[in-house]
Each structure stands twice: as C-alpha cells, then as structure tokens.
Amino acid sequence: VQLQASGGGLVQAGGSLRLSCSASGRTFSRDIMGWFRQAPGKERESVASIGWSDFSSIYYRDSVKGRFSISRDNAKNKVYLQMNSLRPEDTAVYYCAARSGSDWAKGYWGKGTLVTVSS
C-alpha cells in the first residue's frame, strides 16, 4: 500500500498550486482521505479531509477555509488539494493520508511534497 503526493513547488504569495495524491495497493474508496502539513519547527497539522464521497464529511482547518478545496476521484484512487490565494504561512511539507478507522496515526501515510510560498 502506497500513497504518493505530488504537485508541490515554489509559488509567490497569492498564487495557486494543486496537489495530487495517488494511492495504490488497494482501493481507498471507502477511506477518509486527508491532507496534513508540517512547517519547519512546527508540529504536523491537519489541513483538510474528505469522506468516501465528495459530499460527505469535508473538513478544513479554519486558516484555509475559502482558499483550499479538497476533492477525490475514487475511480482513480486519487485525492486532490486545490490551494488558492497562497500565503507565506502556508509554506510546509504537505502529506496525504488515508484511514479506514478513527485514528490517523493507524492509517496510511505518503511521503510529503514541499510547498514554498514566497512573499
């Protein structure tokens, strides 16, 4: 089972990036999928998550509401994070994760992709 995040890069403040996460090894259509991030010197924090369908259990942390949008394509085993109006404080390594239970720590995690937002 593997999750692979991609799409990070360097962008100016106000710009946009779209992160993708490809899952392989089994179907994740019934899992909750999420994006997390970890900035230098800070703890990992949740960014957004989405239930098994686009219309169920979507969560965003307050600081990204209205700017980020999470979506998923179960047929392709992919989850996306569209990030608009990026700010320097969004700079972090972004990770995708999947869980079938209640604990993210017991789910599947991918290697991160670095997002750097310059001011």
Side-chain angles (χ1 to χ4, degrees):
V1 175
Q2 196 171 31
L3 299 178
Q4 180 63 55
S6 61
L10 174 64
V11 63
Q12 288 188 332
S16 298
L17 282 174
R18 188 192 193 208
L19 304 184
S20 297
C21 176
S22 296
S24 60
R26 69 168 179 83
T27 181
F28 286 85
S29 61
R30 293 288 178 170
D31 287 52
I32 296 174
M33 307 292 292
W35 288 95
F36 294 73
R37 67 187 181 187
Q38 187 167 19
K42 295 187 177 181
E43 293 186 355
R44 187 175 297 184
E45 61 185 20
S46 60
V47 176
S49 64
I50 184 169
W52 67 274
S53 76
D54 271 0
F55 305 103
S56 72
S57 304
I58 291 180
Y59 155 84
Y60 296 103
R61 72 179 302 104
D62 286 346
S63 61
V64 308
K65 285 180 180 177
R67 300 188 299 121
F68 290 11
S69 177
I70 189 170
S71 61
R72 65 189 294 168
D73 185 334
N74 288 334
K76 296 181 179 179
N77 249 10
K78 288 190 173 183
V79 62
Y80 306 97
L81 186 68
Q82 178 67 43
M83 306 186 295
N84 300 325
S85 303
L86 282 161
R87 304 168 179 169
E89 54 265 38
D90 294 318
T91 295
V93 177
Y94 283 72
Y95 301 86
C96 63
R99 63 175 174 89
S100 57
S102 60
D103 189 352
W104 284 107
K106 296 180 180 179
Y108 298 99
W109 289 80
K111 293 182 180 179
T113 185
L114 177 62
V115 172
T116 303
V117 184
S118 63
S119 57

